[in-house]
Amino acid sequence: QQKLTGPLPLAGKFALVTAGPTYEAIDPVRFIGNHSSGKMGLALAVELHKLGASVTLVAGPGTPASPEGLNRVNIRSASDMLQACLEYYPAADITIMSAAVADYRPAQPAGQKIKKNSPTLTIDLEKTPDVLATLGAQKRPGQTLVGFALETEHEESYALAKLDKKNLDLIVLNSLNDQGAGFGTNTNKITIFNRNGEKTAFDLKPKTAVASDICAAVLRQMGL
Ligand code: CTP
Ligand code: CA
């Protein structure tokens, strides 16, 4: 529970949050994307702001409008997201990567609209940059870095592997096996893991309440 009086716990802190999907161009009119709504990231940005942080939200396509007082950078592709994050990350005390970044993109987006001239079409894909892993690799002492893991099997071991490999402080596991959790919904069910092997499982809740659970875990992690 937050105290009703006294300075806000994140006053003077800067937070960077990513939200929503990325769109990777196939040609000038088509893209590869996913069903992320941006609601979880937006809720996190709003909550961090309420706790006193100044917040930059790097938002993928379709992320709902943000309230006044948040700095917002709209991006499209994984490569745009990386560029925006690299700009803000050095000053960030807290970074939460809730975006559903595309893992692959067309290796050579067509310059013109692709015509339906052939019975089948093959598009070569290449990996996108891993934004979170890039930030993890340049993390300084005092920075808190939080990632998400979306899994459908071996949830715990896959999430812990990402926590370690991407040099995170906390990872938020989203299981698509849980009813009401994940993309498009207004609710989510999460489990948070830290580097000490502590695991905290939460009930299904509105994404706004999930955001305050995640922020409470961040405050605890920071010793605030
Ligand atoms: N992420 C990222 N850049 C990417 C892919 C993922 O920054 N190109 C971030 C996501 O925002 C999330 C975390 O990495 O915070 C984990 O994303 P997830 O899709 O669960 O894992 P991946 O590392 O992409 O591995 P895989 O999809 O194979 O499980
Ligand atoms: Ca992925």
Side-chain angles (χ1 to χ4, degrees), residues 100-103 130 150 162 166:
V101 186
D103 289 333
D130 191 315
L150 181 65
K162 286 172 189 170
K166 303 195 190 199

Side-chain angles (χ1 to χ4, degrees), residues 159-190:
L160 289 172
K162 286 172 189 170
L163 175 73
D164 184 51
K165 194 164 166 227
K166 303 195 190 199
N167 194 26
L168 312 179
D169 299 289
L170 299 173
I171 193 151
V172 181
L173 169 65
N174 249 320
S175 175
L176 272 192
N177 296 332
D178 291 313
Q179 283 285 332
F183 284 172
T185 60
N186 287 316
T187 53
N188 205 358
K189 189 172 188 315
I190 59 154

Side-chain angles (χ1 to χ4, degrees), residues 67-192:
E68 252 178 76
L70 294 192
N71 177 38
R72 175 167 172 145
V73 181
N74 290 322
I75 56 87
R76 253 180 104 74
S77 66
S79 138
D80 300 339
M81 181 169 280
L82 176 63
Q83 205 190 323
C85 287
L86 286 175
E87 184 181 334
Y88 289 98
Y89 183 67
D93 300 292
I94 301 165
T95 301
I96 308 184
M97 275 286 307
S98 81
V101 186
D103 289 333
Y104 292 92
R105 66 185 171 205
Q108 267 145 356
Q112 303 298 329
K113 184 185 169 200
I114 299 171
K115 300 299 286 179
K116 53 175 174 179
N117 289 332
S118 57
T120 64
L121 173 67
T122 303
I123 300 172
D124 278 323
L125 303 179
E126 64 183 16
K127 257 192 193 166
T128 56
D130 191 315
V131 181
L132 183 57
T134 307
L135 302 183
Q138 62 181 68
K139 191 171 67 173
R140 290 179 285 100
Q143 287 188 303
T144 300
L145 184 58
V146 183
F148 275 69
L150 181 65
E151 311 292 353
T152 59
E153 59 174 357
H154 311 298
E155 283 111 348
E156 183 157 344
S157 62
Y158 284 174
L160 289 172
K162 286 172 189 170
L163 175 73
D164 184 51
K165 194 164 166 227
K166 303 195 190 199
N167 194 26
L168 312 179
D169 299 289
L170 299 173
I171 193 151
V172 181
L173 169 65
N174 249 320
S175 175
L176 272 192
N177 296 332
D178 291 313
Q179 283 285 332
F183 284 172
T185 60
N186 287 316
T187 53
N188 205 358
K189 189 172 188 315
I190 59 154
T191 306
I192 301 179

